[in-house]
Amino acid sequence: MHPADAIELLRTTKADPSRARTLQRGAADGHFVRVRHGVYVPAAAWAALDGRSRYLVRMRAAVPLLPIGAVFTRDSAAAVLNVPRLTSWPEHVHVTVPALDADRRRVGLTLHAGRRPAEAGRFHGVPVASLAETVVETSRRSSLSGAVVAVDHALRSGVQRRELEGMLDSGPDWGRVRVANALGVADERHESVGESFFAARCHELRAPYMEPQVQFVRPGGKTYRVDFWMPSLGLVLEFDGRQKYRDHGAVPGTADDVLWSEKLREDDIRADGDVRGFIRVTWWHLVDPERLRTLFRMHGVPCR
């Protein structure tokens, strides 16, 4: 069971005003957290949840307010489908209700008018929009980097590129350019959120073409696969997330063993005659494009 499903929801009722007062006092004392009007959760359980899980709890709390026929869409569908994002999860819940002729807004909840989307399943009895539709709709409202991260996730999950393109062509014009640009950058060979983020930043900086997941075969038949290869400059580019050094499953041993193994790997790749340089990029470089621009300039990579 997901932690967001396990946490207890404590609801007030008009039939029991004393319960409401007890929960309100508990929230004031720090024992409970109010997730929406009339709905509380134990503070200790809430503190243990990550941002996505907290958002899923807010969605659970809003379910009794939803009319029959409502479908979780946009950020809400993305949370259920575990679509990665670069920004923090919001508090506002989104559903689409085909029967409405105009959007309706309540505190923490928007009911959108619109056609009924294809469904990917249900969350606490409420249908959830498909992954393809969710990615296209959230990408319309996202930054380029956020859109590439979402589109790459969809492609890695088996959604066909032509399906995303078809939804874009048949949808509204607003946000179309952003999603089209994201589709141009996205590549299912990007193996992580960090690699997707990096590819988007490189596109924004107009860096030279990079090929993802290129293999180098060394004498003796040993093969290395690198995150990106920039053939015009002979540069290997690797995204170094902390998980690489924390997860010892791929390279057994201590953290020092992992670092030493990575050094030997880099030395062997550098020995390839086509390789003229090796650039390691971290999340720190990506959150501020000026840092990535400086790193590129230091290695002779032209960018804007």
Side-chain angles (χ1 to χ4, degrees), residues 78-101:
V80 176
L81 300 173
N82 201 16
V83 178
R85 60 191 291 132
L86 299 178
T87 57
S88 59
W89 287 94
E91 296 183 359
H92 210 82
V93 175
H94 295 272
V95 297
T96 294
V97 183
L100 294 180
D101 54 7

Side-chain angles (χ1 to χ4, degrees), residues 109-123:
L109 171 66
T110 297
L111 292 84
H112 301 275
R115 62 173 180 78
R116 186 178 186 85
E119 297 178 19
R122 289 178 178 260
F123 179 74

Side-chain angles (χ1 to χ4, degrees), residues 178-208:
R178 181 179 296 109
V179 182
N181 286 339
L183 282 166
V185 177
D187 193 312
E188 56 267 32
R189 291 175 293 175
H190 299 153
E191 293 186 335
S192 68
V193 171
E195 290 180 24
S196 300
F197 194 5
F198 178 47
R201 285 298 198 209
C202 289
H203 178 78
E204 291 172 341
L205 296 180
R206 301 293 192 269

Side-chain angles (χ1 to χ4, degrees), residues 2 5 27 31 45 55 92 99 106-107 116 155 165 176 194 199 220 222 248 272 275 285 295:
H2 192 277
D5 294 328
H31 299 301
Y55 185 54
H92 210 82
R106 303 180 63 169
V107 176
R116 186 178 186 85
L155 295 176
E165 293 170 341
R176 178 190 297 270
K222 195 161 189 178
H248 300 165
D272 187 287
V275 177
H285 296 104
L295 179 67

